[in-house]
Amino acid sequence: MPNFVTHLECSLTGERYPAGVVHNLSAAGRPLCVRYDLAAVRAALPREALRDRPANLWRYRELLPVRDDANIVSLDETITPLLSAPRLAASFGVEQLLVKDESRLPTGSFKARGMALAVSMARELGLTRLAVPTAGNAGGALAAYAARAGLEATVFMPDDTPIINQKECFLAGAKTWLVNGLITDCGRLVGEGKAQKGWFDVSTLKEPYRLEGKKTMGLELAEQLGWELPDVILYPTGGGTGLIGMAKAFDELAALGWLRHDRRPRFISCQSTGCAPIATAFARGERFATKFEGAATVASGIRVPAAVGDFLILDAVRASGGLALATPEADIPRWMQLAASKEGIALCPETAVCLGALEVLLERGAIRRDERIVIFNTGAAQKYPEAVREQLPRLDLAQPIPWDRI
Ligand SMILES: *Cc1c(COP(=O)(O)O)cnc(C)c1O
């Protein structure tokens, strides 16, 4: 398979770096982006050629960085369904609400997309010891893909990370540490230990390839909608790779001439009031976010008080004509219950905040009721037993059954 990567580029300064060697951040301390010869991709790959390809993210092989197929580490990252949600749409009074259900991916979250690429590239570049700070799902995904590749993984997570994330890392054999701090503290530990331990740092946006994996969300969405992008995308934002990756996908698709219109969706970056650095920076008109103090949310995947790609998220949101918004932490269980009870779609708590944002933005008129709206269900609700606190009523078989109350 020919490879179309030309170089890597600092996302802040544009400085160029060679492909095919190990990279973390740029000299300026910012994320690196993979660049492709898109004119050559355009000549080599007619859009129609995708039709006969397997229904997983490797169908976009020409837009991915792996050189040698033998290095691909995969658990079959399936194309995720784009579900219609008419009953949920009706409850918001909107015509078209679509849910891209990323919970179907290996390890139950879209982190699989990023880690499939990061671990494949680690194998290609000869790296054997990988380490990551995680809010939960990234650790689970790294643990699984490292196991699949026979590589060593070390995971640092806050000690109140959802229990399922803790156990999935343990089961997959990652060296897993609970830390009495936040993901930013875990990130510091990886940074401090890496020289001595020989780790490669797989933190969000501190290596270039998780972004390429998450980019495939945007490629898939475009293909599923017949190469016509929706009007609005609501996206739960933590480190921001998903949103930045989708923006990159749409740029690359436009350069390939694959999109039917040049119209881009407005990105709505959704956060919880429990951790809202991006929403705060957006409201203040700032390009770089200030660390959010006292971050606390059941939506653990978006409990990221400081993001190395903050300016990339804010740039992408503003360029799209969208906005960033935090909705009340206390409403998360209610939104989860609404989606599950209306549609049988079990939204993760991260995605639940998108419904809060949708309600507010419809009221404000920032989203019109006749627009095509897409939300990403970034993970499986089943990974968050902590987010639902309701106690179910009990029946005691030693007592008469209260049939009038059943
Ligand atoms: C990591 C994560 C997020 C945040 O994703 P980013 O792309 O890093 O902003 C959202 N939801 C879930 C379930 C996650 O695991």
Side-chain angles (χ1 to χ4, degrees):
M1 176 61 77
N3 182 275
F4 295 92
V5 175
T6 53
H7 64 284
L8 287 80
E9 195 177 280
C10 174
S11 55
L12 186 66
T13 65
E15 190 187 348
R16 291 169 72 109
Y17 293 80
V21 291
V22 177
H23 292 293
N24 281 112
L25 293 173
S26 72
R30 302 294 174 179
L32 288 174
C33 292
V34 182
R35 297 296 175 210
Y36 300 83
D37 181 349
L38 294 171
V41 174
R42 186 175 184 158
L45 180 67
R47 205 174 67 177
E48 295 65 36
L50 292 175
R51 258 198 310 243
D52 306 322
R53 295 201 174 175
N56 63 41
L57 63 74
W58 303 100
R59 66 198 274 104
Y60 308 112
R61 192 73 182 78
E62 286 83 350
L63 294 170
L64 294 173
V66 181
R67 280 181 191 278
D68 182 349
D69 283 355
N71 292 321
I72 290 178
V73 181
S74 175
L75 291 161
D76 195 354
E77 297 68 39
T78 185
I79 299 295
T80 61
L82 190 58
L83 301 170
S84 67
R87 287 159 57 82
L88 189 58
S91 71
F92 284 94
V94 301
E95 283 172 22
Q96 221 191 131
L97 182 59
L98 299 168
V99 180
K100 185 142 170 76
D101 192 3
E102 299 283 298
S103 71
R104 315 293 181 93
L105 286 161
T107 71
S109 92
F110 78 132
K111 291 293 193 297
R113 294 183 187 269
M115 289 303 179
L117 266 295
V119 174
S120 296
M121 288 305 292
R123 177 140 95 183
E124 187 152 281
L125 295 168
L127 301 165
T128 55
R129 313 186 76 191
L130 311 178
V132 79
T134 181
N137 289 323
L142 176 65
Y145 282 90
R148 185 80 164 160
L151 304 181
E152 180 191 286
T154 304
V155 175
F156 295 92
M157 53 172 65
D159 57 7
D160 56 352
T161 297
I163 194 76
I164 308 275
N165 293 133
Q166 301 180 25
K167 297 194 178 188
E168 67 182 340
C169 292
F170 164 77
L171 283 177
K175 297 181 178 182
T176 309
W177 295 91
L178 301 179
V179 178
N180 62 341
L182 291 169
I183 186 173
T184 34
D185 301 301
C186 297
R188 184 168 52 76
L189 294 179
V190 172
E192 285 174 12
K194 68 182 179 188
Q196 187 194 350
K197 300 289 180 187
W199 292 330
F200 180 70
D201 184 349
V202 197
S203 303
T204 298
L205 290 171
K206 289 188 185 169
E207 62 75 57
Y209 306 113
R210 285 174 65 182
L211 182 63
E212 293 306 289
K214 291 215 179 161
K215 178 180 87 178
T216 60
M217 273 191 303
L219 303 176
E220 262 181 50
L221 177 67
E223 189 180 4
Q224 284 171 314
L225 291 174
W227 307 107
E228 198 165 339
L229 299 177
D231 299 304
V232 180
I233 292 177
L234 294 136
Y235 194 85
T237 305
T241 353
L243 202 149
I244 299 164
M246 272 192 280
K248 188 172 191 285
F250 300 155
D251 286 345
E252 291 176 2
L253 290 173
L256 291 174
W258 286 9
L259 296 176
R260 284 221 251 154
H261 312 287
D262 197 34
R263 207 165 34 81
R264 302 291 180 90
R266 308 199 296 290
F267 284 120
I268 312 295
S269 165
C270 304
Q271 298 193 307
S272 157
T273 49
C275 184
I278 300 299
T280 307
F282 183 85
R284 291 183 185 151
E286 291 167 354
R287 189 176 183 215
F288 296 91
T290 309
K291 184 176 177 196
F292 193 89
E293 295 301 332
T297 170
V298 293
S300 46
I302 55 175
R303 190 170 60 155
V304 180
V308 62
D310 53 359
F311 67 105
L312 297 173
I313 304 169
L314 288 156
D315 287 356
V317 164
R318 291 193 174 106
S320 76
L323 53 87
L325 186 73
T327 64
E329 171 70 16
D331 291 346
I332 287 176
R334 177 163 69 86
W335 294 124
M336 290 176 74
Q337 197 178 17
L338 181 74
S341 63
K342 289 281 179 202
E343 299 285 0
I345 300 175
L347 296 185
C348 61
E350 291 83 354
T351 297
V353 304
C354 297
L355 295 187
L358 178 60
E359 183 182 63
V360 169
L361 296 176
L362 287 167
E363 262 163 35
R364 280 197 210 160
I367 296 178
R368 290 199 326 272
R369 295 184 190 275
D370 62 348
E371 292 192 292
R372 183 185 258 183
I373 303 161
V374 173
I375 67 173
F376 279 77
N377 187 29
T378 45
Q382 292 84 346
K383 295 184 85 172
Y384 303 81
E386 297 90 346
V388 182
R389 295 189 178 279
E390 257 70 20
Q391 296 292 322
L392 297 177
R394 289 177 179 277
L395 289 176
D396 181 354
L397 294 175
Q399 302 292 327
I401 301 297
W403 287 110
D404 54 329
R405 291 205 283 116
I406 290 178

